[in-house]
């Protein structure tokens, strides 16, 4: 009987203790299912429904969100628009250059077809550019003691010099300059080429030349040191005491004869034919082709609809 009493008593005390602890413990909050919305630009994150169970959360502050919407006028599109305009302008410019080059070739062919003329006794240097590449006939002698060598000249990939010598005409006309042509480097000294310095009267067929433009890569002349790198007609004429008129001598010979002249140190003049490079038609096709391709690309770009999506920046 005593055991039964103590058993009921213990059961009563345990129940009272559980009730007391339950009253002192805080009430657990009810869990709510909250859906977290993702603002990521990834399509996978937008399509998935991510859920979590948590306690109370403060609402997100969206005031700092800045939508970045796709735009058509980007630096790339501006460049893509400028390229066809620029290349079209270059193609049109090459059309004009093609017409100029054809007229120049036609004029040169006409000058090459007519007979050489005799220079007047007194020459006006200012009118020489109008007669450039016109063939002239000269009779007289060279003053080899005053010749100068234009350095850094090549012929068939061989380095050498051009020989410019004062020429005194038999008719008593003004002395002029004659570019006799190319010699090898080994014949720099006049004593090494006696056949080219004979003091006799000669007949020369040549072409009148105007002042050529100096390249920025060409060094200047040093007349005090007798070092010449550029054909400055006026400077050379003042140095040698002649009229500032230059004639390029023409050498009429086959390849075998030219090799013989070279081996004896005799200057080889220019060819009687002038070949001008005319690549303007190729340039026209290139520039207009690029213009057409980039124009099509620009049209395709602007016909493509915008995506309409807003990409939010600054979301943590």
């Amino acid at each position: 009987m005593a055991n039964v009493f103590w058993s009921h008593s213990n059961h009563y005390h345990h129940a009272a203790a559980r009730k007391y602890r339950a009253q002192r413990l805080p009430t657990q909050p009810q869990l709510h299912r909250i859906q977290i919305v993702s603002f990521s630009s990834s399509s996978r994150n937008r399509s998935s429904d991510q859920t979590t169970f948590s306690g109370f959360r403060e609402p997100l502050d969206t005031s700092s969100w800045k939508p970045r919407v796709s735009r058509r006028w980007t630096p790339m599109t501006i460049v893509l628009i400028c390229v066809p305009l620029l290349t079209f302008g270059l193609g049109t410019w090459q059309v004009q250059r093609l017409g100029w080059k054809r007229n120049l070739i036609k004029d040169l062919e006409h000058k090459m077809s007519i007979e050489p003329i005799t220079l007047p006794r007194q020459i006006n240097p200012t009118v020489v550019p109008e007669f450039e590449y016109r063939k002239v006939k000269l009779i007289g002698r060279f003053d080899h003691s005053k010749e100068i060598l234009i350095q850094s000249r090549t012929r068939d990939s061989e380095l050498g010099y051009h020989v410019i010598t004062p020429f005194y005409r038999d008719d008593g006309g003004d002395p002029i300059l004659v570019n006799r042509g190319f010699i090898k480097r080994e014949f720099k000294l006049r004593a090494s080429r006696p056949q080219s310095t004979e003091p006799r009267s000669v007949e020369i067929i040549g072409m009148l030349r105007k002042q050529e433009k100096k390249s920025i890569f060409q060094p200047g002349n040093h007349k005090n040191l007798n070092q010449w790198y550029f054909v400055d007609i006026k400077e050379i004429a003042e140095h040698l005491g002649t009229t500032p008129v230059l004639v390029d001598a023409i050498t009429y010979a086959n390849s075998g004869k030219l090799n013989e002249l070279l081996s004896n140190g005799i200057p080889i003049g220019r060819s009687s034919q002038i070949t001008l490079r005319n690549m303007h038609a190729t340039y026209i096709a290139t520039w207009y082709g690029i213009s057409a391709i980039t124009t099509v690309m620009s049209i395709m770009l602007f016909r493509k609809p915008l995506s309409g999506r807003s990409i939010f920046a600054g979301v943590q």
Side-chain angles (χ1 to χ4, degrees):
M1 186 69 179
N3 290 335
V4 173
F5 173 79
W6 284 110
S7 175
H8 284 286
S9 177
N10 290 337
H11 177 74
Y12 172 79
H13 285 293
H14 285 300
R18 286 196 299 270
K19 183 178 180 180
Y20 176 76
R21 286 196 300 270
Q23 291 177 353
R24 291 182 59 87
L25 290 176
T27 305
Q28 294 292 337
Q30 185 178 1
L31 298 179
H32 299 278
R33 185 176 182 179
I34 301 175
Q35 183 176 2
I36 306 301
V37 181
S38 174
F39 291 92
S40 173
S41 60
S42 172
S43 60
R44 183 179 62 182
N45 292 338
R46 288 196 302 268
S47 61
S48 62
D49 293 331
Q50 298 180 356
T51 59
T52 183
F53 293 94
S54 63
F56 174 76
R57 291 189 178 183
E58 296 182 357
L60 294 176
D61 183 11
T62 61
S63 61
S64 62
W65 292 356
K66 298 179 180 180
R68 187 171 66 249
V69 183
S70 300
R71 298 177 299 174
R72 291 191 188 276
W73 295 103
T74 63
M76 183 60 67
T77 57
I78 294 175
V79 171
L80 196 59
I81 292 175
C82 292
V83 168
L85 297 177
L86 177 62
T87 52
F88 183 83
L90 290 173
T92 304
W93 176 63
Q94 287 298 329
V95 171
Q96 299 174 356
R97 294 280 295 175
L98 177 61
W100 167 81
K101 183 60 71 67
R102 286 177 175 175
N103 292 333
L104 179 61
I105 294 174
K106 184 178 179 180
D107 183 57
L108 289 177
E109 290 177 349
H110 172 70
K111 291 180 178 180
M112 294 295 101
S113 62
I114 59 179
E115 293 295 323
I117 62 174
T118 301
L119 292 178
R121 297 186 61 182
Q122 293 183 346
I123 306 173
N124 183 4
T126 59
V127 300
V128 170
E130 301 177 10
F131 294 88
E132 187 181 22
Y133 296 113
R134 185 70 180 270
K135 289 183 180 180
V136 295
K137 182 178 180 180
L138 304 174
I139 300 176
R141 59 181 179 83
F142 290 107
D143 186 356
H144 299 291
S145 64
K146 294 183 179 180
E147 72 177 16
I148 64 171
L149 302 179
I150 307 298
Q151 303 186 37
S152 303
R153 303 293 162 158
T154 59
R155 177 183 174 86
D156 297 333
S157 302
E158 186 171 9
L159 190 62
Y161 307 93
H162 276 188
V163 182
I164 295 182
T165 310
F167 188 83
Y168 295 88
R169 295 180 286 168
D170 288 347
D171 60 2
D174 296 333
I176 62 174
L177 300 173
V178 174
N179 184 353
R180 301 179 63 195
F182 176 84
I183 60 171
K184 296 181 180 180
R185 297 180 64 184
E186 58 193 83
F187 296 108
K188 179 179 180 180
L189 299 178
R190 287 197 303 271
S192 62
R193 43 185 170 88
Q195 297 185 32
S196 68
T197 58
E198 295 180 358
R200 57 186 177 86
S201 181
V202 295
E203 179 179 313
I204 297 175
I205 302 296
M207 295 180 185
L208 282 171
R209 296 302 308 275
K210 67 178 182 180
Q211 178 62 57
E212 63 182 14
K213 294 182 179 180
K214 182 178 181 297
S215 172
I216 59 176
F217 302 104
Q218 287 180 307
N221 297 325
H222 303 283
K223 61 181 180 180
N224 295 332
L225 301 176
N226 199 28
Q227 295 178 354
W228 305 88
Y229 302 93
F230 171 69
V231 182
D232 189 327
I233 298 176
K234 185 177 180 180
E235 183 181 16
I236 296 175
E238 291 178 353
H239 181 69
L240 300 180
T242 67
T243 302
V245 175
L246 177 66
V247 173
D248 282 352
I250 298 175
T251 299
Y252 295 92
N254 54 33
S255 58
K257 183 63 175 179
L258 293 177
N259 291 331
E260 181 182 349
L261 295 176
L262 277 176
S263 60
N264 293 324
I266 299 176
I268 296 179
R270 68 175 306 141
S271 172
S272 60
Q273 301 297 325
I274 299 177
T275 303
L276 295 180
R277 185 181 180 185
N278 188 4
M279 298 292 294
H280 296 290
T282 303
Y283 300 151
I284 291 172
T286 301
W287 290 125
Y288 278 156
I290 296 176
S291 179
I293 293 173
T294 52
T295 299
V296 173
M297 293 174 61
S298 301
I299 294 174
M300 293 177 62
L301 176 65
F302 278 88
R303 292 186 63 182
K304 182 179 179 181
L306 293 174
S307 62
R309 297 173 180 174
S310 298
I311 303 174
F312 292 89
V315 179
Q316 302 295 331

